[in-house]
Amino acid sequence: MKEKIIAKASELFLKLGFKSVTMDDIAGEMCISKKTIYKYFCNKEVLIEESTSLVHGQVHEIMDTIIAKNYNAIHENFEIREMFRDMFKNNIDTSPIYQLKKHYPEIYQNILSFEIDQCTQCFRDNIEKGIREGLYRSDLNVEVYVKFYYTLVFHINENTVSESEAQRIELEALEYHTRAMATEKGVEELEKQLKKLEINYYPNCRHLF
């Protein structure tokens, strides 16, 4: 039952917002009493911590699955971005990370410290892979570019209220990051991935690219 409560709470928090969803809402959705929820969680903050931990695990599990498919480094980054787009497409138009930072700053800080370590390693692995593949320049200072990119990504999510706006700016940050590192071969792959997005999601918005 505890795992079912965490799963439902995670779904509702991402869909409707961490602040607006109450214990009553979760109990109602699950057709259980609020007392049952409090049997496992002493307050909403503890449930949010457990829920964000679950989502974090799911995100990194999917990322590992994408990485295991052995796409080239640039394609890999676009697949991971697509995963985030799909994961949060049904939520309210408010960035989950922004919500956490605003309403539950202590939980946010705990997640942030761990997430930075995870993302730093992911970005580092991707850059080193791209260098091996000839998509990124061999003279890159890997640690500097890792820091540049996670600073960009976290700043966007921390300070952009709208989830759709955050995703749009993240795409521009990804393009900016990739062009800064890319060889001629890498630029060709980047243009290929951008064209794929244009065809799949923005058929009438070619001027955006």
Side-chain angles (χ1 to χ4, degrees):
M1 178 56 74
K2 181 179 180 180
E3 288 73 23
K4 290 180 180 179
I5 294 170
I6 293 171
K8 177 55 69 175
S10 301
E11 176 189 328
L12 292 174
F13 288 145
L14 292 179
K15 184 177 181 180
L16 302 173
F18 289 101
K19 185 69 174 177
S20 60
V21 173
T22 66
M23 298 296 235
D24 284 316
D25 294 330
I26 298 166
E29 282 284 323
M30 298 186 69
C31 298
I32 60 175
S33 69
K34 192 162 64 171
K35 184 178 178 180
T36 301
I37 297 178
Y38 281 111
K39 176 182 176 182
Y40 299 100
F41 308 97
C42 60
N43 56 46
K44 182 179 173 182
E45 284 74 16
V46 172
L47 181 52
I48 289 176
E49 286 188 56
E50 296 265 12
S51 298
T52 51
S53 179
L54 174 67
V55 172
H56 172 89
Q58 290 173 337
V59 165
H60 286 279
E61 185 177 322
I62 297 171
M63 285 175 65
D64 288 343
T65 300
I66 292 171
I67 292 168
K69 292 182 178 179
N70 203 31
Y71 297 116
N72 69 60
I74 294 173
H75 188 179
E76 179 179 278
N77 278 337
F78 275 82
E79 288 292 326
I80 289 172
R81 177 192 173 273
E82 183 74 357
M83 175 268 291
F84 279 107
R85 191 192 72 86
D86 289 343
M87 195 167 198
F88 299 118
K89 66 183 178 182
N90 293 322
N91 75 323
I92 58 169
D93 193 23
T94 306
S95 167
I97 294 178
Y98 179 88
Q99 294 175 44
L100 270 184
K101 182 183 179 184
K102 181 177 181 181
H103 300 298
Y104 301 96
E106 289 187 9
I107 297 174
Y108 170 77
Q109 287 300 327
N110 289 337
I111 292 171
L112 184 64
S113 60
F114 186 68
E115 195 65 31
I116 284 178
D117 289 340
Q118 293 274 317
C119 288
T120 295
Q121 188 58 51
C122 181
F123 297 159
R124 183 183 295 114
D125 291 345
N126 180 267
I127 293 173
E128 291 173 349
K129 178 179 182 180
I131 291 173
R132 292 194 302 271
E133 294 171 334
L135 296 172
Y136 302 150
R137 302 192 321 273
S138 60
D139 62 345
L140 291 176
N141 184 326
V142 175
E143 295 306 315
V144 169
Y145 276 83
V146 167
K147 187 172 183 179
F148 281 166
Y149 192 48
Y150 83 65
T151 299
L152 269 175
V153 170
F154 281 98
H155 179 80
I156 290 166
N157 282 282
E158 284 180 332
N159 297 284
T160 308
V161 179
S162 166
E163 175 65 18
S164 59
E165 179 71 2
Q167 289 191 19
R168 185 188 66 79
I169 300 173
E170 276 189 14
L171 175 59
E172 293 186 5
L174 176 57
E175 179 180 356
Y176 173 83
H177 171 67
T178 306
R179 287 191 187 281
M181 300 188 297
T183 61
E184 184 176 343
K185 178 182 175 183
V187 171
E188 289 177 3
E189 178 63 26
L190 172 63
E191 296 292 347
K192 175 182 173 182
Q193 295 301 322
L194 291 173
K195 178 63 70 174
K196 190 190 304 183
L197 279 182
E198 178 184 350
I199 292 170
N200 290 341
Y201 300 109
Y202 309 100
N204 299 315
C205 302
R206 296 181 183 274
H207 63 282
L208 294 177
F209 297 90

